[in-house]
Amino acid sequence: MKFGNLAIITARGGSKRIPRKNIKEFFGKPMLFYAINAAFESGIFDEIMVSTDDDEIAQIARNLGAKVPFMRSAKTADDFATTADVLKEVVSKYQEMGFEIGQICCIYPCVPFLSGDLLKKAHEKLINSNADSLTPVVKYSFPIQRAFVVDKDGFLQFREPQNAPKRSQDLEPTYHDAGAFYFFKFSDLRSDKKIAYEIDEIFAQDIDTIDDWKMAEMKYEIMQKGLK
């Protein structure tokens, strides 16, 4: 069997700060729904799978239309496993099953603001470039070149004093990882040449704590009201 693009949604069961957050209800749907739905809406994937070590998550993923052809190993399900470890395991398993993989997209499970259109546009940017991979980024709202540090005596100091007199608009923009998804052009997950896809901060939200979750709920509710 042969297919092209593969979406890998990483959803282990061991969340500690927000227990069961990957399937915790978010506006009437399990959080995992939003990642799977965005992947389907993009129309760019030939296979959408969920990598998990948890039977309940696996069943919910299947009910939502995703594939769970195998369970995640104990090695890639502990607190020390990296996203790269998980992706390499999935790719290896698919290759053992005889699948030929084209582009790969890793999608995190807690992405209620992710849309199929955003995934599609990011994918188009990657395939039309000479890069190996793409990372979505968000611009820092204030120049980090003018960040403060607290010295040993408790006083504020500029981290980069040479930038203190400069206007914020004269400083180079800086970005951080949006923490939502990653695209790889090749199945070996090479990332020597990486490009950015800038997204608005309204569409990016880390959900690691209860406060993060509440913030996501507020943002989502505001966005839904704005669409009506």
Side-chain angles (χ1 to χ4, degrees):
M1 183 177 180
K2 178 180 178 180
F3 66 86
N5 299 337
L6 172 66
I8 303 171
I9 300 172
T10 59
R12 74 186 185 105
S15 175
K16 294 180 173 60
R17 287 177 289 183
I18 307 178
R20 313 297 289 164
K21 75 172 182 176
N22 292 333
I23 51 174
K24 180 179 170 67
E25 189 171 290
F26 187 87
F27 287 87
K29 296 180 174 62
M31 180 59 84
L32 185 60
F33 162 83
Y34 299 93
I36 293 174
N37 188 60
F40 276 114
E41 282 189 341
S42 72
I44 60 176
F45 299 110
D46 300 284
E47 179 100 334
I48 299 168
M49 70 87 65
V50 171
S51 171
T52 186
D53 60 320
D54 186 278
D55 290 334
E56 184 181 12
I57 292 176
Q59 188 55 56
I60 289 173
R62 293 187 183 103
N63 291 344
L64 292 170
K67 302 285 184 64
V68 187
F70 46 82
M71 299 298 285
R72 190 184 298 190
S73 68
K75 183 178 180 181
T76 58
D78 65 25
D79 293 336
F80 303 101
T82 65
T83 298
D85 294 332
V86 175
L87 298 182
K88 289 175 182 177
E89 178 179 72
V90 171
V91 170
S92 177
K93 289 279 190 181
Y94 267 91
Q95 289 173 336
E96 289 173 5
M97 293 160 55
F99 292 106
E100 183 175 338
I101 302 172
Q103 285 91 47
I104 293 169
C105 184
C106 168
I107 304 175
Y108 286 143
C110 295
V111 285
F113 307 108
L114 184 63
S115 68
D117 186 60
L118 196 157
L119 285 172
K120 184 176 181 179
K121 288 177 179 176
H123 178 249
E124 288 174 353
K125 181 173 182 178
L126 176 62
I127 62 175
N128 290 322
S129 75
N130 63 352
D132 303 320
S133 66
L134 176 146
T135 295
V137 298
V138 178
K139 184 186 295 184
Y140 279 103
S141 58
F142 187 83
I144 61 172
Q145 297 93 327
R146 294 184 61 185
F148 287 118
V149 294
V150 179
D151 67 19
K152 60 183 179 60
D153 298 314
F155 295 110
L156 283 178
Q157 305 287 347
F158 278 103
R159 187 175 182 273
E160 300 176 15
Q162 70 275 19
N163 290 317
K166 296 179 181 178
R167 300 185 307 167
S168 59
Q169 60 264 43
D170 294 332
L171 296 170
E172 183 180 14
T174 53
Y175 304 84
H176 63 85
D177 187 343
F181 63 91
Y182 305 100
F183 269 107
F184 300 89
K185 191 178 285 186
F186 307 103
S187 60
D188 61 4
L189 304 174
R190 75 186 75 159
S191 193
D192 297 328
K193 295 187 293 184
K194 183 186 301 184
I195 58 171
Y197 185 82
E198 185 177 350
I199 64 176
D200 192 286
E201 62 182 340
I202 191 66
F203 299 114
Q205 175 68 47
D206 284 335
I207 304 179
D208 296 321
T209 67
I210 291 297
D211 286 342
D212 292 339
W213 186 281
K214 292 178 180 177
M215 179 61 72
E217 287 180 325
M218 286 190 290
K219 288 171 64 174
Y220 190 87
E221 189 169 19
I222 290 169
M223 290 173 66
Q224 292 303 301
K225 287 180 179 178
L227 294 174
K228 294 179 181 178

